């Protein structure tokens, strides 16, 4: 039974809270809110929802996470990749009614919450480990590219409705090209330029002006807000709305009263699978962000408690009229570098966004949609991880293939299938690889007790002995291949009377591996070869003993080390020979 | 490019063929045919096809296998489990027209053939290794139980049509119970009794009568034919047909002319998936039978060539108007123990069955269906492997679970889903298990260079050193768990300044494992702990070096052995301490 301080980490950090913490949290909260407001609206738009829904998703869910979460830094709210998954799910059930789509987004958040809380109750967060790094990276890269593509219509000022797959989007944009609105495109390109200048060029300039790196960073972080303000001013002053520049339009002020009306929606069943997949991605990405940041301060996070905290945040999103939420990498990193010490920093951001949603939505009426699209494009482009793909491919062909295949499937078949097929492919690749184990004929390095591959080292061997090291656990995927290799090696060496199997690389023997040994050992004995085991690990030997296999070794023996086996078995010989 | 003798093993063994081989093959062929004739008709009935189709499946396919196969012993023809899979596939597309169902069976055989030949061309037989032993055993046991259940109506003399799932069959039999035909039931029970007497009771009796074990065996093998003859006589003499005992009825004499009319069938697409699954099961079971028998004579079979041989056999089945074929365990074992030396034994059996199909089908007209059902029940009941389940469960809980789950899914959701879900579950269980690796804190056995788990042995340790051995490859399913364990161990030992990772159990590091190390090592260094690697395998080290990870070790070093690491790193101390 978890204790109260485990279930409510708040109780732990609040006890030692000091005034210096408060000033640090306040500053970090304000800085993060500056990034949160435009991102929240932009990602709601990515999800195909009104922008204010993004603001709602930044208030109650952040407060819920602060109550239950174990990371002081996580910025929980709407995030780009999840927004795309929401858009993909809503496209299937939606029928153009925006109010209904908000209800469907709440249903998705509720399914997310139930999934995460259920896994938390089962302490089953570990099942997420089926997603490998190449799958996650390929998935994120594909989703980011799709997000960029879906912003093209807003940047070009055309109306092109399409499904969220690469060919659909490109085709729709192609057909809409003749109707480009040039003022919109100009505004969009200028916004992207301004945001990119806010990156290292601005910081380099400010550095020359003798601003500290923290101050330069802060000005850089302000750039999205500055850009949005300039774009709004340009629309108002230039009367661009009359020239066809689309704006966000009226954003109703206030926060929705908490409501469970979404429980009566008819779309629960249709949204079940996508909602569960969103929960999966939310958890995996949030926990990896939290672990990365905690590691940099020698802190730990509680991954099971994070299931509850993210579940609570999504439950708050559902009740608060918002879309599913997760931790944003950019906002969490900002929160961390701005000096947040406790989850109170997140509370500060949430309250600020709440104030804006209550009283300042009037500011967004003339905000051009192209500027929001520019913000999205600049924010998600770095997620298209070309460098990571090159590195993965260089390190491991099969991992690179998994990365690339997941990326392509996301683009052409969508985010959900991309995730599922990627996960299956990652597992299949692993089974495929371990199904072809490295099996080395080894000999002794003269004058030592070290045994090495006869093909890599000049080592002693013995005419009556074959010493084989299998560098993989024996299990169903490789059992028959190991058997074949052993039989081939034996039949190629007519003088061999004793086989020594070195088990230092064998971490398990499953029942398929056991069945293989149970047929192989008697067959070898009939063929005049006695099998011995050496360097098998304790737990593996215990199991083999329990199964009765060791009784079938006959005259074969179990040795602790290869050296002991050689001492007992090697026939006297005059000089080292290679067999 | 495979040579001609690889593609046609016939050329190899025919060159050294002698007269003594011929007499041995002739005898074995005759003995096997005695079992083949009743089984062939019975399994065709299991598949929901006319009995003569089973005879057709025993002629051309056996000849094709003899031409291309590498095992002298395999009895290729209709087999029970495949027959059930055929029944399950035909139930979906069938509309009661028996002639059309024969065409559909030919389509299935053709899909099997194309699948096997395609895999043979790709030399991709290894992909079959995704099926673990527990999955195969659970699948076979479930299929065998289903086959027994589907024979209940014939044994009870009721007509109960139902789908091939456990609840459907039981419900149909339950509803038909009031219409039991007692003469049929009596005949069926008597047949089962006679067949069981033909097992060890008869052999024990014949042993007492001083018959050799081979002679006793032969008489026992004759029992099915004797039983069928007695049952036929009973029907004719007792005029049981007038009392409602169902018989096989007219079996048309002759063999169908080879035909490719089935190519025009409209059911190819619907039968594609089941056909491929039948190919999978046919290959896996046939090769494992062939390998088992070859191992007993120190022979080898060529698993890639077997893909071609079984593909050719199924192509012959399609053209010859039959159902898909595979190797039968009981007939192959009989062929082996009856002394077969070359595939000519199979040719003899095939020719005998061909003669019977041409001229002796009149004998089967009065054969009661209940006797065929009795034959099936007695033949497949041993495939329900309760002992194997108990053993598997005792050896490994997760393997036992996979066995049981596959069995249950086959019974309740059918053979195809059982096979697919079982394969997925087997892989998932493996990932789950390797996702929780054994990680041992190790120390040195005093006075030696052996390092052992501190919890299992009394060993030396050092206050500034933590020596950890990870007994699993580092990959996506365990990367975060290994990271957590290392961080937990480090934070529990404040005096530790150097961590030595022993890599003797690490056979691979995939890119998720690499990414974990890339964040873990700098984090540990920030925390004042320097990481060293020892006993890593050559190929693993090569890869890590190529990735640049070793450059991030900083002052950390790579040691060949744990002993060298201790010599270099251990601080002087007065007496062994336990940390």
């Amino acid at each position: 039974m978890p204790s109260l301080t485990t279930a409510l980490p708040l109780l732990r950090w609040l006890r030692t809270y000091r005034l210096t913490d408060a000033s640090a949290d306040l500053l970090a909260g304000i800085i993060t809110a500056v990034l949160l407001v435009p991102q929240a609206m932009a990602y709601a738009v990515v999800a195909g929802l009104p922008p204010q829904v993004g603001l709602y998703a930044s208030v109650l869910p952040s407060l819920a996470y602060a109550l239950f979460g174990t990371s002081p830094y996580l910025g929980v709210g709407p995030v780009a990749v999840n927004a795309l998954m929401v858009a993909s799910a809503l496209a299937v059930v939606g029928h153009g009614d925006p109010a209904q789509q908000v209800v469907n987004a709440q249903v998705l958040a509720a399914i997310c919450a139930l999934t995460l809380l259920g896994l938390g109750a089962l302490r089953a967060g570990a099942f997420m480990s089926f997603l490998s790094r190449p799958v996650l990276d390929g998935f994120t890269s594909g989703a980011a590219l799709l997000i960029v593509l879906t912003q093209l219509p807003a940047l070009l000022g055309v109306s092109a409705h399409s499904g969220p797959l690469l060919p659909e989007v490109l085709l729709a944009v192609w057909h809409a090209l003749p109707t480009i609105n040039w003022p919109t495109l100009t505004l969009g390109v200028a916004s992207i330029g301004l945001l990119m200048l806010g990156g290292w060029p601005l910081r380099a300039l400010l550095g020359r002006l003798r601003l500290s790196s923290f101050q330069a960073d802060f000005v850089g972080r302000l750039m999205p807000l500055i850009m949005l303000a300039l774009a709004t001013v340009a629309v108002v002053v230039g009367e661009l709305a009359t020239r066809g520049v689309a704006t966000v339009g009226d954003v109703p002020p206030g926060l929705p009263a908490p409501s469970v009306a979404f429980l009566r929606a008819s779309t629960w069943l249709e949204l079940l699978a996508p909602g569960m997949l969103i929960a999966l991605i939310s958890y995996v990405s949030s926990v990896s962000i939290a672990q990365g940041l905690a590691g940099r301060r020698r802190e730990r996070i509680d991954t099971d408690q994070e299931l509850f905290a993210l579940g609570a945040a999504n439950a708050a999103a559902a009740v608060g009229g918002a879309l599913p939420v997760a931790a944003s990498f950019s906002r969490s990193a900002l929160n961390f570098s701005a000096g947040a010490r406790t989850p109170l920093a997140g509370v500060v951001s949430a309250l600020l966004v709440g104030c804006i949603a209550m009283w300042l939505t009037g500011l967004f009426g003339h905000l051009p949609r192209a500027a929001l699209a520019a913000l999205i494009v600049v924010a998600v482009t770095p997620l298209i991880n070309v460098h990571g793909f090159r590195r993965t491919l260089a390190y491991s062909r099969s991992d690179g293939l998994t990365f690339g295949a997941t990326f392509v499937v996301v683009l052409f078949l969508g985010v959900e299938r991309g995730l599922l097929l990627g996960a299956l492919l990652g597992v299949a690749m692993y089974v495929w690889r371990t199904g072809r184990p490295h099996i080395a004929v080894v000999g002794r390095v003269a004058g030592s007790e070290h045994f090495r591959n006869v093909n890599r080292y000049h080592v002693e061997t013995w005419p009556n002995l074959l010493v084989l090291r299998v560098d993989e656990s024996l299990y169903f995927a490789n059992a028959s291949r190991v058997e074949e290799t052993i039989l081939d090696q034996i039949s190629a060496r007519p003088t061999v009377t004793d086989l020594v199997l070195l088990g230092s690389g064998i971490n398990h023997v499953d029942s398929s591996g056991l069945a293989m040994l149970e047929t192989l050992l008697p067959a070898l004995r009939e063929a005049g070869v006695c099998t011995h085991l050496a360097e098998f690990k304790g737990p593996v030997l215990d199991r083999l003993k329990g199964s009765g296999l060791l009784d079938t070794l006959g005259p074969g023996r179990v040795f602790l080390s290869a050296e002991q086996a050689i001492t007992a078995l090697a026939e006297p010989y005059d000089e080292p020979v290679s067999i």
Side-chain angles (χ1 to χ4, degrees), chain A:
Chain A
M1 187 63 207
S3 72
L4 197 59
T5 54
T6 307
L8 278 176
L10 170 81
L11 297 177
R12 204 165 38 216
W13 53 261
L14 217 50
R15 217 160 29 195
T16 57
Y17 202 78
R18 285 168 308 167
L19 204 61
T20 50
D21 294 331
S23 64
D25 283 339
L26 188 65
L27 184 64
I30 293 172
I31 292 176
T32 307
V34 165
L35 183 61
L36 174 55
V37 171
Q39 278 197 354
M41 295 197 297
Y43 295 153
V45 170
V46 168
L49 298 167
Q52 65 270 21
V53 174
L55 297 178
Y56 307 159
S58 312
V59 183
L60 282 188
S62 296
L63 296 176
Y65 181 80
L67 206 58
F68 297 106
T70 61
S71 166
Y73 316 115
L74 281 198
V76 170
V79 294
V81 171
N82 292 29
L84 181 68
M85 294 186 80
V86 171
S88 159
L90 295 188
V92 176
V93 297
H95 308 287
D97 174 6
Q100 185 54 44
Q101 288 298 47
V102 173
V103 173
N104 287 334
Q106 288 177 279
V107 171
L108 278 174
I111 293 168
C112 260
L114 292 173
T115 306
L116 293 167
L117 294 173
L119 288 172
L122 295 169
R123 316 226 132 232
F127 105 94
M128 310 290 194
S129 57
F130 278 81
L131 285 181
S132 70
R133 184 67 65 120
V135 172
L136 274 177
D137 285 352
F139 172 77
T140 306
S141 299
L145 180 52
L146 277 186
I147 293 172
V148 169
L149 292 175
T150 54
Q151 299 312 306
L152 284 181
L155 282 175
L156 298 169
V158 301
S159 66
H161 295 289
S162 76
L165 304 182
L166 180 79
E168 298 169 353
V169 175
L170 288 184
L171 203 70
V173 169
W174 175 256
H175 283 305
L177 273 189
T179 62
I180 284 188
N181 181 270
W182 295 101
T184 303
L185 180 58
T186 311
L187 199 64
V189 171
S191 303
I192 291 179
L194 205 57
L195 288 171
M196 290 173 68
L197 281 179
W200 66 261
L202 177 70
R203 271 164 238 200
L205 179 71
L206 295 174
R208 286 207 187 165
L209 297 176
R210 310 261 164 107
L211 266 71
S212 74
S213 114
F214 178 77
Q215 290 168 319
D217 237 41
F218 183 66
V219 177
R221 299 291 180 188
L222 275 178
M223 199 46 101
L225 263 202
I226 294 171
M227 181 276 284
L228 292 181
L230 288 178
T232 306
V233 168
V235 166
V236 174
V237 172
E239 293 185 348
L240 295 181
T242 61
R243 299 205 191 170
V245 172
T247 59
V248 166
D250 278 346
V251 177
L255 287 169
S259 151
V260 293
F262 66 88
L263 290 176
R264 288 193 304 273
S266 60
T267 47
W268 279 80
L269 211 60
E270 282 172 278
L271 293 173
L272 191 61
M276 290 170 74
L277 287 179
I278 294 173
L280 178 74
I281 279 293
S282 301
Y283 177 72
V284 172
S285 61
S286 302
V287 163
S288 86
I289 294 168
Q291 277 180 324
L293 295 175
R296 286 158 72 174
R297 294 254 169 92
R298 301 177 207 176
E299 296 158 348
R300 307 300 318 280
I301 64 154
D302 177 344
T303 51
D304 278 324
Q305 176 66 19
E306 288 299 298
L307 278 172
F308 280 109
L310 289 166
N314 274 293
V319 172
L323 72 165
V325 295
S328 146
F329 178 75
S330 57
R331 299 195 304 270
S332 302
L334 178 57
N335 206 14
F336 178 87
S337 63
R341 296 206 184 153
T342 73
L344 270 190
V347 173
V348 171
S349 301
L351 294 180
L352 277 176
V353 174
C355 293
I356 289 170
M358 295 290 278
W359 299 299
L360 298 178
T361 54
L363 292 176
F364 306 131
H366 294 289
L367 183 62
R369 283 189 175 268
L372 274 186
L375 189 80
I376 295 167
V377 167
V378 173
V380 305
T381 300
L383 296 179
I384 305 172
N385 196 350
V386 179
H387 173 69
F389 174 63
R390 284 225 195 95
R391 266 203 85 206
T392 305
L393 193 63
Y395 182 71
S396 152
R397 279 238 313 256
S398 61
D399 281 350
L401 183 60
T402 305
F403 190 133
T406 309
F407 178 78
V408 170
V409 173
V410 165
L411 289 180
F412 287 89
L413 298 179
V415 278
E416 288 145 20
R417 290 182 200 180
L419 196 58
L420 291 177
L421 288 178
L424 280 179
L425 184 65
V427 172
M429 281 287 177
Y430 178 73
V431 173
W432 184 260
R433 207 184 326 162
T434 53
R436 270 142 211 76
H438 181 239
I439 302 177
V441 178
V442 300
R444 182 167 61 184
V445 179
S448 81
E449 296 193 4
H450 294 295
F451 286 75
R452 293 280 181 278
N453 193 332
V454 296
N455 296 327
R456 286 190 163 218
Y457 295 84
H458 184 73
V459 290
E460 288 181 281
T461 56
W462 301 267
N464 69 317
L465 278 187
L466 175 63
V467 188
L468 278 181
R469 196 188 67 216
V470 180
D471 285 348
E472 198 66 66
S473 293
L474 297 182
Y475 80 112
F476 61 84
N478 61 25
S480 63
R481 194 166 281 251
V482 170
E483 181 178 25
E484 271 179 47
T485 310
I486 292 175
L487 288 172
D488 285 348
Q489 294 284 359
I490 289 285
S491 64
R493 289 175 172 76
T495 61
V496 166
T497 59
D498 290 90
L499 166 70
V500 180
L501 276 185
L502 298 188
S504 53
I506 298 175
N507 299 309
H508 306 277
V509 177
D510 81 347
S511 27
S512 307
L514 177 69
M516 181 273 280
L517 292 175
E518 283 174 341
T519 59
L520 176 67
L521 300 194
L524 287 177
R525 204 160 65 225
E526 275 190 44
V529 176
C530 181
T531 308
H532 311 267
L533 309 183
E535 296 190 0
F536 272 64
K537 295 175 184 187
V540 177
L541 264 190
D542 290 350
R543 284 208 161 191
L544 293 182
K545 207 171 285 173
S547 77
L549 177 77
L550 299 191
D551 307 332
T552 70
L553 278 181
R557 292 161 59 189
V558 176
F559 298 97
L560 253 185
S561 69
E563 182 59 27
Q564 290 173 5
I566 300 308
T567 310
L569 301 172
E571 282 175 357
Y573 63 104
D574 295 329
E575 48 183 329
V577 288
S578 262
I579 52 171

